Amino acid sequence: MIRSHLLTFAFTATLALLAAAMPSYADDAQWGYTGANAPQAWADLNADNALCNAGLEQSPINLKNAEDVDLPPLNVEYKEGNADVLNNGRTIQVNAQGSGGVLIGEEDYNLLQFHFHTPSEHYVDARPYPMELHMLHRAEDGRFGMIAVFITLGDDANPAIETLWSAAQTQAAITFSAQSLLPENLDYYKYQGSLATPPCTENIAWYILKTPITISQAQLNAFQAMFPLNARPVQALNDRVVRE
């Protein structure tokens, strides 16, 4: 009980520090998630964002009726490295180049950065999770792969998340391994999609882990106090197939 009260106090203090560090985005051309700059307006804010409205392979989507196929395993090759933890005004983002990557079949991806959304951007059978983690990777040939991890509530604070939320207070550089943000079970859904933020570039291979990780209610509250909503609505599947 004492530990629970201490964690709650720590995250309350974190909220105040994060709020003080948050940059201002007064430029009308800046995209966002609510008001005049919400997702439905992204394509109108900048000509480079045309795919946000016109694209046919947009993300996120509602995951349902997935085709059961023999997908290659997700072989994790993350390692500890220097990571810059930033509050960019829309999310907590961690730049983690040089921190390894993943091998999925013949695709060898290097991790570039990861960031968080609330609620989850992808739905499963029309239901969202409280949060979702996106891990952006690039292969040597320039192709991009995005690993998504659902986040749900648990009884205890997540130590890795606690480290990141604390580092976001001062936008600090830390030593961190993305391995600590993955569940043990790495079964996944796969589909072809896009960046879920402007410019909504398509031809992104999405790998969405089926098993969520957990955080505490206090950790969720700390993030949502800064970013009450930073999720793009689900997009039309069109002619795409989701595989699992």
Side-chain angles (χ1 to χ4, degrees):
M1 183 64 70
I2 293 175
R3 182 175 183 272
S4 177
H5 286 311
L6 288 174
L7 285 173
T8 301
F9 176 79
F11 280 108
T12 301
T14 296
L15 294 181
L17 289 168
L18 283 172
M22 183 173 177
S24 173
Y25 286 89
D27 186 347
D28 290 338
Q30 290 286 345
W31 58 271
Y33 291 95
T34 59
N37 297 338
Q40 62 268 25
W42 286 352
D44 298 325
L45 297 175
N46 191 313
D48 293 338
N49 300 344
L51 282 175
C52 297
N53 275 3
L56 298 178
E57 294 188 344
Q58 289 292 291
S59 296
I61 61 171
N62 177 36
L63 299 161
K64 64 177 183 177
N65 300 326
E67 179 182 330
D68 192 359
V69 298
D70 187 17
L71 292 171
L74 191 156
N75 296 305
V76 177
E77 299 175 347
Y78 297 132
K79 59 185 179 181
E80 282 200 349
N82 293 329
D84 294 320
V85 185
L86 308 172
N87 175 342
N88 65 17
R90 302 184 185 94
T91 187
I92 292 176
Q93 177 175 316
V94 182
N95 297 327
Q97 296 186 47
S99 297
V102 293
L103 178 65
I104 309 174
E106 297 182 355
E107 296 290 352
D108 193 359
Y109 292 111
N110 293 311
L111 178 64
L112 299 181
Q113 56 103 325
F114 54 90
H115 57 272
F116 300 85
H117 295 274
T118 188
S120 68
E121 296 204 301
H122 289 89
Y123 285 29
V124 179
D125 292 328
R127 295 174 66 89
Y129 281 85
M131 289 188 69
E132 184 174 339
L133 162 66
H134 288 171
M135 308 171 78
L136 179 63
H137 301 72
R138 182 173 58 201
E140 290 293 332
D141 62 7
R143 285 184 290 182
F144 290 94
M146 190 83 77
I147 293 176
V149 183
F150 291 121
I151 304 175
T152 192
L153 291 177
D155 294 332
D156 300 319
N158 183 310
I161 293 294
E162 190 167 353
T163 296
L164 296 176
W165 275 205
S166 296
Q169 297 177 29
T170 55
Q171 313 220 36
I174 61 174
T175 300
F176 192 84
S177 172
Q179 175 73 45
S180 61
L181 294 171
L182 297 180
E184 289 187 12
N185 188 331
L186 299 180
D187 289 347
Y188 62 90
Y189 301 99
K190 182 184 179 183
Y191 79 98
Q192 287 298 121
S194 73
L195 294 178
T197 57
C200 305
T201 307
E202 294 186 336
N203 296 320
I204 307 293
W206 279 87
Y207 306 89
I208 304 169
L209 302 190
K210 293 183 176 183
T211 302
I213 62 171
T214 62
I215 60 174
S216 68
Q217 183 68 60
Q219 289 175 317
L220 177 63
N221 292 346
F223 187 87
Q224 290 183 336
M226 294 302 301
F227 313 104
L229 170 66
N230 67 343
R232 187 188 192 193
V234 295
Q235 305 295 300
L237 184 62
N238 295 318
D239 293 327
R240 290 174 290 174
V241 175
V242 179
R243 296 178 171 85
E244 62 176 332

